[in-house]
Amino acid sequence: MTSRTVTLLDVARTAGVSKSTVSDALQGSGRVAEATRDRVRAVAEELGYRPNSAARRLRRASTGAVGLHLPATATRLDYYMNLAFGAVERAQEDGLDMVLLAPSGAAGGRIASRVDGLLVIDPEPGDSAVPGLLDAGVPVVTGERYLGPATGPSGAVVCDNAASLTALLDHVTERGARRPALLAPSGSSAWATALRATAGSWGRAHGVTVTLRTVPFAATPAEAEAATRALLAADPAVDAVICAPDGSAPGVLRAAAALGRKVGALSASGPSGPSSASDVSGTSEASGACEASGGRGGHSGSGGNGESGQSESGQSKGGQSEGDRSEGGLREGGRSEGGGPGTPRGTGATVGPVGVGPVGPVGAGLLVASCVDGTATRSAEPPVTAVDLHPAAYGRACAELLCDILAGRAAPDTVRRHSWSLETRASTGSWG
């Protein structure tokens, strides 16, 4: 291995310690035992590790700025804009400017020479810029865990995305749904992975088939409308549609209207009116608590409980599913090979739990909900039940953790959790 290819992670793996311990040992900082410090330095010398010039400059003086990397689709999504404003506001409280990085990213060393630390929000393993940012030689905090094979960040702020989708599925079921469907985000981010996995595990646990149709990460209303039309045509028994992408809910409502599905309840004698907002939430339990970050898997759990007294987050995507298959509580929506809406096999409707028959497509009710709250869900007609991920507070939480790490107020590898709330509205209420 040459000096040009040796990274802090290489030294950490060989020495059997964390990346942050290697950094502290080589810089002479932190609470590192002398024996460990000597071992790390010996391993670094043996491997030929040499810190880059940008990192050396940063140890001598602060740039007074931190960088913010958002997904390429962020500029047209309310969620990320609100998150960015929250992050900027919090960084300024510590006297730090926020530099918005180009979606394509840049060489890690060049980035490190301009900022003291980095925020990388919803890191996608397929984003070629992320590995270089994570190994830029400065503290990095991610919003959601990174699932790719690269150097880990210094810290992370995560959400219990499994719990928020579970709350939505429980809610529509309590409102009478027997055949829920999810317009699930594509991609391999922690958020997308958690939602798809939860749809399957929830279905298996409840003996309910959850129809899954994959849509782009930032599906537009038009894309959501097309996906919903195909979904309902392929499986008329679907009586609740939960859409993941931020801002895509109006497309689901348009599809329902075009197909004659009445949004709000499953029958005139069905559920009563909508309950009050925020009747379900994921809340933080202890202020300032943290855990060592390890692998970056999807998040599971029964609630949005957190450890830092801050809030949790999520996002959206979508494409189109390619088969018509059922597997352990998760059913992939059908689509014909010719490109048009798929024809469901058999009767065209799948019976739910024992004693519950299929719901007819025309004139039948349809419950609609969203994994991400925002202007589109609040201003829709009818207003759409959604998970409020508190994006501005989430941005503040990410910036706060980075500021705390830079100032020595938080240990490296800190993980904090954020809360969410379920806002129930007329789209899952009664016809009135």
Side-chain angles (χ1 to χ4, degrees):
M1 186 175 291
T2 68
S3 60
R4 290 187 302 168
T5 61
V6 176
T7 66
L8 282 176
L9 185 60
D10 296 323
V11 178
R13 286 172 174 166
T14 303
V17 297
S18 69
K19 178 188 170 187
S20 61
T21 297
V22 171
S23 179
D24 288 342
L26 296 180
Q27 295 182 45
S29 61
R31 298 185 296 272
V32 180
E34 193 61 33
T36 301
R37 195 183 304 277
D38 291 342
R39 185 172 77 255
V40 168
R41 288 173 175 171
V43 169
E45 183 175 354
E46 179 183 349
L47 295 179
Y49 172 76
R50 296 291 182 275
N52 61 44
S53 59
R56 288 196 295 269
R57 286 196 299 273
L58 282 172
R59 284 196 291 272
R60 292 196 299 268
S62 169
T63 66
V66 291
L68 174 63
H69 177 77
L70 299 171
T73 56
T75 55
R76 63 182 178 84
L77 298 179
D78 286 347
Y79 173 83
Y80 288 114
M81 292 300 96
N82 287 321
L83 185 153
F85 288 135
V88 169
E89 181 182 69
R90 179 61 186 84
Q92 288 179 338
E93 292 174 8
D94 267 42
L96 295 171
D97 293 327
M98 184 73 70
V99 178
L100 182 61
L101 306 180
S104 59
R110 183 153 58 88
I111 289 293
S113 68
R114 295 158 42 202
V115 297
D116 294 334
L118 291 166
L119 295 178
V120 182
I121 307 301
D122 285 317
E124 174 77 45
D127 185 343
S128 61
V130 171
L133 295 174
L134 295 181
D135 197 29
V138 296
V140 180
V141 167
T142 60
E144 295 297 346
R145 299 179 187 268
Y146 178 63
L147 304 183
T151 304
S154 301
V157 179
V158 302
C159 307
D160 196 339
N161 298 308
S164 63
L165 179 57
T166 294
L168 282 174
L169 287 166
D170 287 347
H171 174 69
V172 297
T173 301
E174 290 164 1
R175 290 293 187 177
R178 295 295 178 266
R179 184 71 171 166
L182 173 68
L183 299 187
S186 62
S188 52
S189 66
W191 177 73
T193 301
L195 293 186
R196 295 196 301 266
T198 301
S201 61
W202 185 93
R204 290 188 293 272
H206 291 77
V208 175
T209 300
V210 179
T211 301
L212 178 71
R213 183 167 289 268
T214 305
V215 294
F217 178 88
T220 63
E223 289 171 325
E225 179 179 2
T228 303
R229 281 175 175 260
L231 167 68
L232 296 178
D235 194 348
V238 167
D239 52 10
V241 175
I242 297 173
C243 55
D246 178 18
S248 64
V252 178
L253 298 178
R254 288 201 298 264
L259 296 174
R261 302 291 293 266
K262 192 132 184 176
V263 174
L266 301 181
S267 68
S269 59
S272 59
S275 59
S276 61
S278 303
D279 56 357
V280 178
S281 66
T283 58
S284 302
E285 296 179 342
S287 177
C290 64
E291 60 187 42
S293 63
R296 299 180 165 281
H299 313 303
S300 61
S302 61
N305 292 345
E307 300 176 355
S308 69
Q310 295 164 339
S311 68
E312 307 196 3
S313 155
Q315 283 91 38
S316 47
K317 356 272 184 232
Q320 291 166 339
S321 53
E322 297 177 351
D324 188 10
R325 58 184 178 84
S326 179
E327 181 180 352
L330 185 66
R331 182 174 184 274
E332 190 79 17
R335 186 170 177 82
S336 65
E337 295 183 359
T343 301
R345 296 170 185 166
T347 62
T350 303
V351 177
V354 176
V356 180
V359 179
V362 178
L366 182 72
L367 306 184
V368 176
S370 173
C371 294
V372 184
D373 199 14
T375 303
T377 50
R378 291 189 292 267
S379 62
E381 185 53 46
V384 175
T385 291
V387 172
D388 188 348
L389 299 165
H390 310 298
Y394 185 65
R396 283 188 60 87
C398 292
E400 180 168 293
L401 177 54
L402 181 58
C403 289
D404 286 349
I405 291 174
L406 291 172
R409 297 187 295 262
D413 300 332
T414 295
V415 175
R416 292 177 178 171
R417 298 182 183 275
H418 260 40
S419 65
W420 47 268
S421 60
L422 177 60
E423 306 293 336
T424 57
R425 301 186 179 108
S427 67
T428 55
S430 69
W431 287 348

